[in-house]
Amino acid sequence: MMKKFFMLMVALTTVVTVSAQFEQGKTYISASLSGLDLNYNGSTKFSCGFEAKGGYFVEDNLMVLANFGYNRVGGNDPTPDRFTAGAMGRYYIIQNGIYLGAGVNYKHANHSYNDFMPTVEVGYAFFINRTVTIEPAIYYEQSLKNHSDYSNVGLRLGLGVYLFTNY
């Protein structure tokens, strides 16, 4: 009985804490790792990437983001170092921490590879405290250049910080 009561209190505390995090005017910063053999495309065997994001809630539960990243690709890939810049929108579903994202990334590698990649993701913002989150996400990037070789599906693990409201 005590165990059930404790679990109920933890669940209620989580819901109350999360409900105030996705309000209009808040800002957001994040750093994440992607790859580490947790993504797949047709041309690489191993990749490891780092990504930084910054965002702003334009409405409750709706955030716009800008992201910059670097990805190192192993194997015999002719473009081993890739740089990324992009913009996304993210919608948080009913204040529970699950989010859906969509956007576009521009990837550049060496002097010959440039690609625009529409991106979708689904993830979860797990709050450690009132402002810091661990954010696992599954993503898909569709290459407009060569669909089978450069499109990616993968897992990203991020650490996010939701900063105070500006007004």
Side-chain angles (χ1 to χ4, degrees), residues 40-44 140 142-143 145-152:
Y40 174 79
N41 72 31
S43 68
T44 62
Y140 177 72
Q142 176 66 50
S143 174
K145 254 187 165 352
N146 188 337
H147 301 298
S148 64
D149 287 343
Y150 295 109
S151 296
N152 293 314

Side-chain angles (χ1 to χ4, degrees), residues 3-161:
K3 185 176 180 181
K4 288 180 184 178
F5 177 74
F6 178 72
M7 291 305 290
L8 178 63
M9 293 310 291
V10 168
L12 286 175
T13 304
T14 302
V15 169
V16 170
T17 303
V18 169
S19 68
Q21 299 304 320
F22 310 122
E23 52 192 33
Q24 181 178 2
K26 278 199 170 200
T27 53
Y28 167 82
I29 55 174
S30 171
S32 62
L33 288 175
S34 62
L36 299 175
D37 270 346
L38 298 176
N39 73 353
Y40 174 79
N41 72 31
S43 68
T44 62
K45 303 226 183 310
F46 173 79
S47 71
C48 178
F50 175 78
E51 187 173 53
K53 294 180 183 178
Y56 180 77
F57 281 91
V58 293
E59 289 186 22
D60 288 355
N61 302 326
L62 184 62
M63 180 171 41
V64 293
L65 293 149
N67 62 301
F68 301 96
Y70 170 78
N71 197 6
R72 176 71 181 169
V73 179
N76 297 325
D77 194 285
T79 58
D81 296 316
R82 298 178 184 169
F83 297 94
T84 304
M88 294 188 79
R90 187 185 278 184
Y91 179 74
Y92 290 82
I93 301 173
I94 316 172
Q95 298 286 337
N96 64 6
I98 296 174
Y99 61 84
L100 303 172
V104 65
N105 285 327
Y106 170 75
K107 286 200 175 186
H108 173 75
N110 290 344
H111 298 290
S112 60
Y113 177 77
N114 295 299
D115 197 358
F116 281 96
M117 302 181 85
T119 303
V120 293
E121 71 177 351
V122 61
Y124 181 70
F126 177 76
F127 280 84
I128 298 171
N129 62 25
R130 289 184 50 98
T131 58
V132 178
T133 59
I134 295 174
E135 298 181 351
I138 297 171
Y139 65 92
Y140 177 72
E141 297 175 322
Q142 176 66 50
S143 174
L144 296 180
K145 254 187 165 352
N146 188 337
H147 301 298
S148 64
D149 287 343
Y150 295 109
S151 296
N152 293 314
V153 61
L155 178 65
R156 179 179 295 125
L157 184 60
L159 183 66
V161 178

